[in-house]
Amino acid sequence: MTSKEKILEETTKLIHAKGFNNTSIQDILDASSVSKSNFYYHFKTKEELGFEVLALRIQQFYDFAVRPALENDLKPPERIDAFLDRLLAIGLSPQGELGCPFGNLAQEMSAVHEPLRKALSDFFHAGAELVEQCFEEGKRQGDFKESLPSKQLSEFVLAQMQGAFLLRKTHKDPKVIERNVSLLRDVIKGWRT
């Protein structure tokens, strides 16, 4: 592993556990065992590193949750179900206890850092659009009722999961994720034909 990869990996963990503002350059140096000059060789600023961490997190999320669940030949309801399975797996994992890394960062930084807020907004919009496309495809194929409000329901799925991750973190109770995914499945099932 290169020193840049070590910095990215350790910073990703630190920001998820402590937040962006509470993670100092010294924390990063200590965790990644690199010198300050090595850090600044790879990253001009902590902000630059923050954007690379976000890009890495997005890639990891797409590799684990989006591509395997939503980008395949399954029928749309099965893809939505697989996506919820993946979100549930994340929520039940040890990292799930720390909350959603995207939601955490959005809560911490959206009011104070416009470029990060915009990047996170784009990420959430893209996720909602993928779910919406799945609902729309399901409507065309007759799997979902024609009256299903695809955009609103896709936003509701993401909002519900963000709330579930927040409560899971706050209560330190993984059952919160299980209950919310179960409820989402029931809501979506109500739109099946």
Side-chain angles (χ1 to χ4, degrees):
M1 184 180 291
T2 67
S3 57
K4 182 176 183 177
E5 291 169 336
K6 278 196 280 189
I7 293 167
L8 272 169
E9 181 179 307
E10 294 304 323
T11 305
T12 298
K13 293 177 196 172
L14 286 167
I15 290 174
H16 194 187
K18 297 174 59 170
F20 183 81
N21 286 325
N22 287 330
T23 298
S24 69
I25 297 290
Q26 191 60 52
D27 292 334
I28 296 165
L29 299 178
D30 293 344
S32 59
S33 301
V34 298
S35 66
K36 190 178 275 193
S37 62
N38 196 296
F39 174 89
Y40 285 109
Y41 174 78
H42 295 293
F43 304 100
K44 290 181 179 66
T45 64
K46 182 180 160 189
E47 178 183 67
E48 180 184 311
L49 173 58
F51 279 104
E52 288 212 30
V53 165
L54 180 58
L56 175 63
R57 278 287 190 190
I58 290 171
Q59 177 190 336
Q60 290 170 340
F61 182 74
Y62 271 73
D63 289 346
F64 179 79
V66 174
R67 286 185 189 93
L70 296 176
E71 297 176 357
N72 57 55
D73 293 331
L74 294 173
K75 292 176 71 69
E78 294 168 345
R79 293 202 312 262
I80 297 289
D81 207 41
F83 184 58
L84 292 176
D85 286 342
R86 294 290 177 144
L87 295 178
L88 178 62
I90 294 167
L92 296 178
S93 74
Q95 284 72 36
E97 189 169 310
L98 299 173
C100 172
F102 306 107
N104 290 353
L105 196 56
Q107 288 173 345
E108 178 185 9
M109 301 300 292
S110 287
V112 296
H113 196 285
E114 181 59 18
L116 265 176
R117 183 210 62 77
K118 174 80 170 77
L120 288 159
S121 177
D122 291 346
F123 165 74
F124 284 118
H125 277 301
E129 285 174 11
L130 286 168
V131 175
E132 179 184 354
Q133 290 167 8
C134 205
F135 284 135
E136 284 295 306
E137 184 181 334
K139 284 166 51 173
R140 286 191 301 275
Q141 293 178 5
D143 296 316
F144 292 113
K145 295 175 184 173
E146 195 58 40
S147 59
L148 182 149
S150 300
K151 182 175 182 63
Q152 292 91 329
L153 188 55
S154 65
E155 290 172 343
F156 178 74
V157 167
L158 296 185
Q160 189 68 29
M161 289 307 302
Q162 278 302 307
F165 270 91
L166 176 68
L167 291 177
R168 194 269 196 249
K169 176 181 176 180
T170 303
H171 301 317
K172 296 198 178 292
D173 179 8
K175 296 285 186 197
V176 171
I177 296 283
E178 291 177 337
R179 288 190 298 270
N180 278 269
V181 167
S182 178
L183 182 61
L184 276 173
R185 290 187 206 278
D186 289 343
V187 168
I188 293 166
K189 212 176 284 179
W191 288 100
R192 294 291 306 272
T193 53

